[in-house]
Amino acid sequence: MEAGFVGLGIMGRPMALNLLRAGHRLRVWSRRAESMRPLIDAGAIACDSAAQAAQGAQVVFSMVADAPDVKQVALGERGVADGAARGCVFVDMSTIAPGAARSIAARLAERGIDMLDAPVSGGEAGAISGSLTIMVGGNSNAFERVRPLFECLGKSITLIGDSGAGQVAKACNQVVTGISVAVIAEAFNYARVNGVDGERVREALLGGFAASRILDNHGGRMLARNFKPGFKAWMHQKDLRIVLDEAHRLGIALPAAAATAQLFNAMSGSSLGEDDSIGVLKLYERLSGGVGP
Amino acid sequence: MEAGFVGLGIMGRPMALNLLRAGHRLRVWSRRAESMRPLIDAGAIACDSAAQAAQGAQVVFSMVADAPDVKQVALGERGVADGAARGCVFVDMSTIAPGAARSIAARLAERGIDMLDAPVSGGEAGAISGSLTIMVGGNSNAFERVRPLFECLGKSITLIGDSGAGQVAKACNQVVTGISVAVIAEAFNYARVNGVDGERVREALLGGFAASRILDNHGGRMLARNFKPGFKAWMHQKDLRIVLDEAHRLGIALPAAAATAQLFNAMSGSSLGEDDSIGVLKLYERLSGGVGP
C-alpha cells in the first residue's frame, strides 16, 4: 500500500520500519531531519512536510507527543489535510485526549479525510517486535481499510467504537497499568520492611487472583532492580495528566488514578522521572523503612 | 492422617470436607454446633472444644474471623495447646496481622507445638473446588509434614518464609487485588461516561500489559452486573484495615491501599457492604456521570 508516516521518534521509527519491511511503500517526514535517515536507508521516500508525506497515500500515520502536535500535523500549514486526496485515512497513533481526537476528526471529515485514533500499548519493545496492542476509534469502513497495515504493527487490534473511543481505551489502559505498577511496588515494599522476600510473594501471588502481566513482567524487573525504561515515569505522568484533565472536564471521579499521579509527579520532581515507571519502588523505599539494596 | 479442624464457616466447611474426602480422619469443633452437622454426616468426629479436636491429631487447622479468635482457639481455655501432643502442628488459615501470627506462634513453641500461618486466596469457590492459593509462614519441616493436607485444599502452595510471612504475602495479595478491583471499576466508569462500551475496553486491555485475572474474572462480572459474592466488600474492608493498622505500627506508607480502603469504607456505609467487592463500580457510578443500567 502507499502510506505516509509522520513522527519518527522512539515509537514511530520502529513502527515505520515494520511497515517498510512488510513491503509497503512509505513516504516519511519528521521535524528532525536526522530522524528520517534510518528510514531512507531502508527504502522510504523523504518528504519536507506532512502534506508531502500524504501525497498519493491511502493512509497517513502520525506518532507524535501531544494534541497540539497532532493538530499541527493534521490541520496546520503544509499539514496532512493540505496534501491528502479525498478518501485518504489519517491514523493518529499518539496518546492524546479523546476530545482532542474527536475535534480533529471532525475538521478532517469536512475535507473528505477519515480519521482513526489508534493509540498503542506495549512500549518500544512492542513497537520493534510488531506486537503492540492497538486501540482504535473511528468508522469501521476506514478501520477495515487500514487493518492490513495495523497487522504489521501489532498483535491485539480492537475497534473500540466511534471517533475518540481508541483514546478512551488507552486512557483506561494507562490508568490500570499505572496504578498496577504502583500497587505492586507498594506490596513489595511492605513485604521488604516485614523482612519477607518479594520474589516468594510474587510467585505466590502469580498463582491466584492477583496474577497479572504487570506483576509478572514489571514486578520481576522491580525485584531485579532493573529500572531501565521501558516506559519512562514522566511519560506515564503525562498520560495520567491527560486522563485527569479530561475527567475534570467531564466531571468523572478517578481517585485511584489521582493518587497514583501524585507518585509519578514526585518521581519527576526527584530525579526518578527518566527511570521506568517501575522506579516508583524507589519512591516507596524512600517513604518508609529505608532504601533497599 | 489424623487432623483437627476448628472453624466451619463459609470457608472452613468446604475445606474440612475436602480433607475428609481425601481420606483423612478429621475431628471438628465449631462454636456454633449446627455448623458441625454436614461434617459429621460426612464422617468427621464431633468435639466439644478445640482442645478435644486437637487430641491425637498430627495437624490442627483453624479458619476463624480475626486475631482474637485465633488466640482463643490456640491458647484460650480448652484451646489447642491444652489438647495437642508435643510435635503437633497448628495451622491457622485465617487472615490476621503478621505480628499477631508471630506472637501466637512464639507462645505455642513454648508448649512444643509448631505453628504455620497459612492464609488463603480464592474465596468460597476456591475452597469448594480445592483450588485455593495458600501462602505459608513457618519452618520448612512443619511445612513438609502438612503439605499432603495442603494439597487437598489448594493448587498454588508456597512457603513464603518464617513465621508471619504467610500473612505478609496475604496482606500483599489483598492490597493488590483490592486496588485492582477498584481501578478496573474506575476505568469502566470512565469509559461509560465517555459513551464507550466497557466490554470492548476489557477485550482490548486483556491483549496488553493491563491483562490480569481481576480484569478477566472480576471485570467480566462487573460488566455483567453480577454483584453476588464471591468475596464481600466488608471482608475486603476488614483485610485492608488489618494491613493499614500494621503499616501504621511499622511506619510503612501504603497510599494506594489507604485510598482504596476509603472506597470499601464508603461501600459498607452505603448498603453495598454485602455486595461482592466488585460492587465498587456502583460507588463510582454514584460519584460521577449518573448510575449505569
Side-chain angles (χ1 to χ4, degrees), chain A residues 87-102:
Chain A
C88 174
V89 184
F90 174 64
V91 182
D92 177 45
M93 304 192 79
S94 324
T95 294
I96 67 173
R102 285 187 204 109

Side-chain angles (χ1 to χ4, degrees), chain A residues 12-69:
Chain A
R13 192 181 314 128
M15 293 166 71
L17 279 169
N18 281 333
L19 290 169
L20 274 172
R21 284 189 193 121
H24 299 289
R25 285 176 299 279
L26 208 62
R27 305 168 65 84
V28 298
W29 180 67
S30 179
R31 268 189 302 201
R32 296 191 315 154
E34 69 272 25
S35 300
M36 288 193 275
R37 175 55 51 196
L39 279 299
I40 298 164
D41 291 348
I45 298 158
C47 298
D48 64 7
S49 67
Q52 200 183 10
Q55 272 164 26
Q58 296 155 274
V59 179
V60 183
F61 295 91
S62 69
M63 190 56 159
V64 295
D66 210 341
D69 309 288

Side-chain angles (χ1 to χ4, degrees), chain A residues 133 159-160 172-173 175 179 183 186-187 190 194 196 200 207-214 246 250-257 288, chain B residues 133 159 172-173 175 179 183 186-187 190 194 196 200 207-214 246 250-257 288:
Chain A
T133 297
L159 180 63
I160 306 288
C172 292
N173 189 76
V175 165
I179 293 166
V183 72
E186 188 161 315
Y190 178 82
N194 273 281
V196 169
R200 303 298 286 161
F209 274 129
S212 68
R213 278 192 71 185
I214 297 276
E246 192 86 343
L250 294 173
I252 310 174
L254 298 175
S288 32
Chain B
T133 297
L159 179 63
C172 291
N173 190 75
V175 165
I179 294 165
V183 71
E186 186 161 316
Y190 178 83
N194 272 281
V196 170
R200 303 298 287 162
F209 274 128
S212 68
R213 277 193 71 187
I214 297 277
E246 190 87 343
L250 295 172
I252 310 174
L254 297 175
S288 31

Side-chain angles (χ1 to χ4, degrees), chain A residues 11 120-129 131-133 135 170 173-174 213 230-231, chain B residues 208-209:
Chain A
M11 294 295 289
V120 302
S121 164
E124 187 182 1
I128 292 170
S129 63
S131 63
L132 293 166
T133 297
M135 295 155 271
K170 176 70 189 275
N173 189 76
Q174 296 311 85
R213 278 192 71 185
F231 189 65
Chain B
F209 274 128

